[in-house]
Amino acid sequence: DTGVSQNPRHKITKRGQNVTFRCDPISEHNRLYWYRQTLGQGPEFLTYFQNEAQLEKSRLLSDRFSAERPKGSFSTLEIQRTEQGDSAMYLCASSFFGRGDSNQPQHFGDGTRLSIL
Amino acid sequence: AQKVTQAQTEISVVEKEDVTLDCVYETRDTTYYLFWYKQPPSGELVFLIRRNSFDEQNEISGRYSWNFQKSTSSFNFTITASQVVDSAVYFCALRNTGRRALTFGSGTRLQVQP
């Protein structure tokens, strides 16, 4: 059973450029989450999907950020017109939700580290 | 609103010492879930334990043990006979019922010296 996979591991880009990250969850997991982690801090929630539906978004997710999970499998997180403050580790997590079992833990990937020049 | 406080920014111990990592949380919900995750230098967050708010039994798993006290809103984590491989950042997290988002503390960096 493979874990959560994120690509790329590192992304360096110039301010103002668009970037896209990909997350492949654990295969049987129907919930997928995105978090952001800055240096010395804990992860902060951005958004989550159940299957293909985006059910919750944090106010941290500005209009420059968009996340999709078109077929309920992998997900992409796009940041448009990147700013210096977007530099962070972007973490993806997944979990399984089934009837009567709403508290499965979230399993995290290695993250994508974004550096804005 | 919910909040998790890990007041210890960094702890350094010598191998075989016992160490306790503190976690204090705030929530208005009566039912919630608490978690501990480990983040080694490689970066991946590794799930360690989940505790429901209605289950105050302490838990032991090998060298790890967790002390949940609702009266003081604390969920502390003890490593017995620490090893160098325990060196990592440890995060405590809270999830309220009805929400999916985890609220993390700022983490405690544990360094175990040989």
Side-chain angles (χ1 to χ4, degrees), chain A residues 95-106:
Chain A
S95 68
F96 175 74
F97 171 71
R99 187 169 295 176
D101 188 9
S102 64
N103 193 31
Q104 290 298 308
Q106 297 173 26

Side-chain angles (χ1 to χ4, degrees), chain A residues 37 48 56 103 106 110, chain B residues 33 37 50 95 99-100:
Chain A
Q37 185 179 21
Y48 109 92
E56 190 173 342
N103 193 31
Q106 297 173 26
D110 289 342
Chain B
Y33 306 94
Y37 283 84
R50 172 192 66 215
R95 182 173 75 79
R99 292 200 66 217
R100 297 298 122 216

Side-chain angles (χ1 to χ4, degrees), chain A:
Chain A
D1 186 19
T2 57
V4 177
S5 175
Q6 292 189 246
N7 288 289
R9 289 297 308 276
H10 304 275
K11 180 70 176 178
I12 301 173
T13 192
K14 293 182 180 178
R15 185 165 49 96
Q17 297 295 306
N18 299 344
V19 293
T20 300
F21 313 137
R22 176 178 170 127
C23 171
D24 288 89
I26 294 172
S27 58
E28 66 270 21
H29 285 185
N30 48 13
R31 285 183 170 166
L32 186 147
Y33 314 79
W34 285 99
Y35 290 81
R36 182 179 71 183
Q37 185 179 21
T38 53
L39 202 60
Q41 298 299 315
E44 296 172 292
F45 172 76
L46 293 177
T47 189
Y48 109 92
F49 293 82
Q50 183 161 313
N51 299 313
E52 67 276 6
Q54 188 173 17
L55 298 184
E56 190 173 342
K57 291 196 286 187
S58 159
R59 62 178 180 271
L60 291 176
L61 209 69
S62 76
D63 56 5
R64 296 185 298 106
F65 287 69
S66 63
E68 294 183 344
R69 195 182 183 200
K71 295 182 180 179
S73 56
F74 73 91
S75 175
T76 58
L77 177 67
E78 180 183 18
I79 309 174
Q80 295 183 327
R81 305 181 303 282
T82 52
E83 302 173 355
Q84 291 281 354
D86 296 332
S87 295
M89 176 78 87
Y90 289 84
L91 294 166
C92 178
S94 69
S95 68
F96 175 74
F97 171 71
R99 187 169 295 176
D101 188 9
S102 64
N103 193 31
Q104 290 298 308
Q106 297 173 26
H107 296 273
F108 285 79
D110 289 342
T112 294
R113 184 171 295 284
L114 175 64
S115 298
I116 307 297
L117 301 178

Side-chain angles (χ1 to χ4, degrees), chain B residues 1 16 28-29 34 36 56-57 62 64 73 80-81 100:
Chain B
K16 297 184 183 176
R28 293 177 184 168
D29 281 18
L34 295 163
W36 275 95
E56 285 194 73
Q57 278 192 332
Y64 296 169
S73 297
T80 304
R100 297 298 122 216

